[in-house]
Structure formats: structure tokens, C-alpha cells
């Protein structure tokens, strides 16, 4: 992402995260940051259609560590899928090595968003009281599931809006071809890949997490886990 684009997104996030900012103002700043990131994805896709070498298909490993490693991995998947990336979860000690596939520009967008959202989830959980009598871990897992679900829906809507703004059927075809190429790369590396069974969560935090997901700032900057590990989520 260009420095100019990064600068715009960072300024919007700084305003949205200001404690003096009203919920309505924060939502407006959030929407604009999301719009910029989505437009960037479409622009890079169209550029790559003319010059494939400018945006190759690639992959990277993202270390997702405890606590709540499975829930963080689900958040990464919720971010990656709307941005036309795919991730394969591999067990690694007490956490996971998430093998992420996508075009270079889309992998970059996932990095930006996932790191920011991990921080926001940690802050959101820290400020949420676990109901009396409920197991804290169960509540927090369901909270994170609600957060990830809404974030994924918002990203999907932003991407669809960016495509609609272009108004050309060829844009959708370009993006569909990119998704197909990423899927083929995953199959080449993991020819016997299996879909993980759905989880059953007993906690009552889903609604609270979903509300936090609706307020989340869909943008950010910095490395993902690994060498620049994102902050953990409270146990």
C-alpha cells in the first residue's frame, strides 16, 4: 500500500480511536478507512490484470499464539476471506501456524486489518464484564466469535461496494479470476485439504462481541504476530 494511502488510513484511525470522538463520528471515520482499503484492493486487481508481474500470487505463514489461539485464527479467516485470501490452519504447539494464500496486495491488506483488529479485540474484552456465574473463557470465546462474524460481514459489504462503484462487469470477472487462482494455489500445496468441523460455543458473549465488531476500526498497520507479535487477549 502506498505511503499516501497508509497516511490517510492512519489519520482516520487516530481520529476514530480518540476517546473524545462520539460513536457517530467514530463510525464515520471507520467507514471511510474501510472504503479506502477496499478501493485499494480493486485498483490493484485492475492494475494486475494489465501487468500480472505487479501483483503476484504468494503465501506467508502467520503465527497465532495462545491465549485463545483458535479464536484468533477464526478472526484471521474472517478477515482473509472477504479480501480474496485463503488460510490453512496448522497446529503448532499451543497455537497455530496459519498458512495464508493470496495476491501480494491482498495479503498486505489482511496484515493491516488483522493486526489492528487483534488490538481492538483485546481492548474490547478488557472492557467487557463477564456475567456473574459464567465461565470467563467460555464467555470470551463466544465474544470473539461475534466480533469476528460481524467484522467479516462488514468487510464483505465494503468490498462489494468498491466493486459496484466501478460499475463495470469486467471488474467482477477480474476479481473472480483472482479468487480462482488463489484457490488453485491452495490445492497445489494442500491437495488433501479438509474443512474443519464447526465449533459449538457455550458462552453468552456473542451479542456483545458482535456489537464491538460493528464499532471496530477496519484498518491498521504493522506486522502480524511472528517477529512483531500482536498483543495477547486476556485470559
Amino acid at each position: 500500500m502506498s505511503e499516501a494511502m497508509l497516511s490517510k488510513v492512519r489519520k482516520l484511525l487516530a481520529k476514530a480511536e480518540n476517546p473524545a470522538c462520539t460513536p457517530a463520528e467514530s463510525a464515520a471515520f471507520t467507514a471511510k478507512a474501510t472504503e479506502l482499503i477496499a478501493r485499494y484492493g480493486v485498483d490493484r486487481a485492475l492494475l494486475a490484470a494489465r501487468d500480472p508481474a505487479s501483483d503476484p500470487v504468494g503465501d506467508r505463514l502467520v503465527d497465532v499464539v495462545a491465549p485463545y489461539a483458535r479464536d484468533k485464527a477464526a478472526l484471521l479467516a474472517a478477515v482473509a476471506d472477504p479480501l480474496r485470501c485463503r488460510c490453512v490452519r496448522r497446529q503448532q504447539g499451543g497455537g497455530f501456524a496459519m498458512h495464508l494464500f493470496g495476491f501480494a496486495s491482498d495479503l498486505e491488506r489482511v496484515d493491516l486489518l488483522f493486526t489492528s483488529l487483534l488490538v481492538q479485540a483485546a481492548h474490547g474484552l478488557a472492557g467487557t464484564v463477564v456475567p456473574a456465574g459464567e465461565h470467563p473463557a467460555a464467555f470470551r470465546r463466544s465474544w470473539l466469535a461475534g466480533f469476528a462474524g460481524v467484522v467479516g460481514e462488514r468487510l464483505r459489504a465494503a468490498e462489494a461496494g468498491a466493486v459496484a462503484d466501478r460499475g463495470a462487469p469486467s471488474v467482477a470477472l477480474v476479481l473472480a479470476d483472482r479468487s480462482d487462482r488463489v484457490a488453485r494455489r491452495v490445492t497445489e500445496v494442500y491437495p488433501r485439504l479438509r474443512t474443519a468441523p464447526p465449533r459449538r460455543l457455550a458462552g453468552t458473549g456473542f451479542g456483545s462481541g458482535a456489537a464491538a465488531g460493528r464499532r471496530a476500526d477496519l484498518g491498521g498497520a504493522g506486522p502480524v504476530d511472528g517477529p512483531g507479535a500482536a498483543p495477547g487477549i486476556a485470559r
Side-chain angles (χ1 to χ4, degrees), residues 179-216:
S179 295
D180 288 344
R181 290 175 62 187
V182 172
R184 289 198 297 270
R185 175 63 67 85
V186 174
T187 301
E188 290 171 2
V189 179
Y190 296 99
R192 299 180 181 179
L193 193 63
R194 294 180 297 175
T195 302
R199 298 176 70 196
R200 294 184 179 181
L201 300 172
T204 63
F206 189 93
S208 179
R214 284 188 285 272
R215 296 190 299 268

Side-chain angles (χ1 to χ4, degrees), residues 84-103:
R84 294 177 291 280
C85 293
R86 296 279 300 277
C87 51
V88 176
R89 191 180 70 197
R90 300 185 340 202
Q91 191 76 40
Q92 179 174 275
F96 299 97
M98 300 292 286
H99 199 171
L100 192 62
F101 295 82
F103 283 80

Side-chain angles (χ1 to χ4, degrees), residues 8-25:
K8 288 182 182 179
V9 171
R10 284 171 176 157
K11 287 178 181 177
L12 288 166
L13 293 177
K15 292 178 181 178
E17 293 168 2
N18 189 325
C21 190
T22 68
E25 290 170 339

Side-chain angles (χ1 to χ4, degrees), residues 64-72 94 144 231-235:
V64 178
V65 299
Y68 303 107
R70 188 179 297 271
D71 308 285
K72 293 175 185 176
L144 288 165
I233 293 174
R235 294 179 184 275

